[in-house]
Amino acid sequence: MTTQVGSESKTRKPRTRNKNSEPKQEKGKGKGKGNSEPVRKPFIFEQTRKALPYDILAKSNTVLDYLNRNGGRAVGAFQRIAALNQLTQRNNDIRTRLTEWLNCRLTLSQEEVAAFEAKAISFKADVVIEPISVVVPETFTYRIDVTHPIFWRFIGIFEAVDRNIAEFENMWIAGLIDDESMIQSRNDSLTIITDLVASIYQITNASRDREGGLYDTNDYKAIMTALSAKSVMDK
């Protein structure tokens, strides 16, 4: 007589599986050395260039939110211009055109910042009676790895926009301006940043598929076409 445990018997022989009865492996999860699809590790960005870490101390929710969501794209744009500066060092013509375009583009951004700052000053003159003290958390920081001195020119634009949109946020928190004015000011400030970043990608896309090294003839023609007179003042 056999002893029963639940519905199974101790004398019952274990069943064997054939190959076809084995559960399928999930894609990307390897079984062993012979598997052609090893487990994929999550991508982790590693800075491969010498860099100077710089913390943008944001004063506004607007710019901090933008950086947290799109900071990588913005820094990528800065890096593209830095790379163009290095890769065109033997082409005086393209270097001159690139410098002219960049100076014009940054001047345009600075003019937009100045107009936005004038708007902030005007609003403050109309609504503020006493200075507003708004506490900004210490966590309002975003770190950028500066790999080329040209980064500072872009960082300056971002910080200027941040200072001015912070004024509107402070007035809004204090109840001195309405939601509509706050939303419009936020959109105006982000437009300055997004237009600058987009224009850099538009120019540098002309040579995005190159394989490294200094510019060859085809690269030169592509970037010179992108840096046409029409695109110099492109917003």
Side-chain angles (χ1 to χ4, degrees):
M1 180 176 178
T2 59
T3 302
Q4 297 289 329
V5 179
S7 62
E8 294 186 2
S9 169
K10 285 185 176 180
T11 59
R12 185 175 178 180
K13 294 183 179 180
R15 290 179 296 177
T16 58
R17 290 181 178 177
N18 56 34
K19 293 182 179 179
N20 295 328
S21 67
E22 293 183 2
K24 294 182 179 180
Q25 289 278 332
E26 292 183 21
K27 187 176 181 180
K29 294 185 178 181
K31 290 173 58 179
K33 295 181 179 180
N35 188 16
S36 60
E37 294 185 2
V39 177
R40 292 184 179 181
K41 296 181 179 180
F43 174 77
I44 299 176
F45 174 77
E46 294 183 6
Q47 179 60 261
T48 58
R49 304 178 183 218
K50 183 180 289 188
L52 173 63
Y54 178 77
D55 290 334
I56 291 182
L57 305 177
K59 294 177 172 59
S60 70
N61 282 303
T62 300
V63 170
L64 182 66
D65 288 345
Y66 172 84
L67 289 172
N68 285 334
R69 289 182 288 106
N70 301 300
R73 173 176 168 78
V75 173
F78 307 163
Q79 189 61 63
R80 282 188 175 203
I81 290 294
L84 277 180
N85 265 272
Q86 294 172 315
L87 295 171
T88 59
Q89 59 185 332
R90 294 182 186 174
N91 288 320
N92 291 332
D93 189 14
I94 190 173
R95 170 61 69 81
T96 299
R97 290 288 293 277
L98 178 63
T99 300
E100 289 176 351
W101 175 84
L102 182 58
N103 289 339
C104 286
R105 194 59 191 80
L106 288 174
T107 296
L108 177 61
S109 294
Q110 290 162 356
E111 291 173 351
E112 292 171 341
V113 169
F116 188 61
E117 182 176 7
K119 179 181 175 182
I121 292 173
S122 176
F123 266 71
K124 287 179 65 177
D126 289 339
V127 302
V128 176
I129 299 174
E130 296 180 357
I132 302 174
S133 297
V134 176
V135 177
V136 180
E138 294 182 1
T139 55
F140 271 41
T141 61
Y142 185 86
R143 174 158 292 188
I144 291 179
D145 286 338
V146 177
T147 59
H148 190 279
I150 205 167
F151 273 48
W152 300 114
R153 302 183 70 181
F154 301 113
I155 290 173
I157 297 293
F158 275 59
E159 291 183 329
V161 171
D162 176 59
R163 284 194 305 272
N164 288 289
I165 188 58
E167 296 286 358
F168 284 98
E169 290 182 356
N170 294 349
M171 289 185 283
W172 176 73
I173 291 172
L176 300 174
I177 63 174
D178 57 24
D179 290 350
E180 184 178 352
S181 297
M182 182 64 248
I183 293 171
Q184 184 60 53
S185 299
R186 182 177 186 276
N187 291 340
D188 290 345
S189 68
L190 288 176
T191 296
I192 297 173
I193 292 174
T194 56
D195 281 359
L196 173 61
V197 173
S199 66
I200 293 174
Y201 276 100
Q202 180 183 357
I203 291 298
T204 56
N205 278 347
S207 58
R208 64 182 174 181
D209 295 328
R210 21 188 341 276
E211 297 180 353
L214 296 175
Y215 269 56
D216 61 20
T217 303
N218 292 331
D219 297 323
Y220 178 84
K221 290 179 179 178
I223 196 65
M224 286 297 288
T225 300
L227 290 169
S228 64
K230 181 179 178 180
S231 65
V232 165
M233 293 305 295
D234 176 46
K235 296 185 180 182

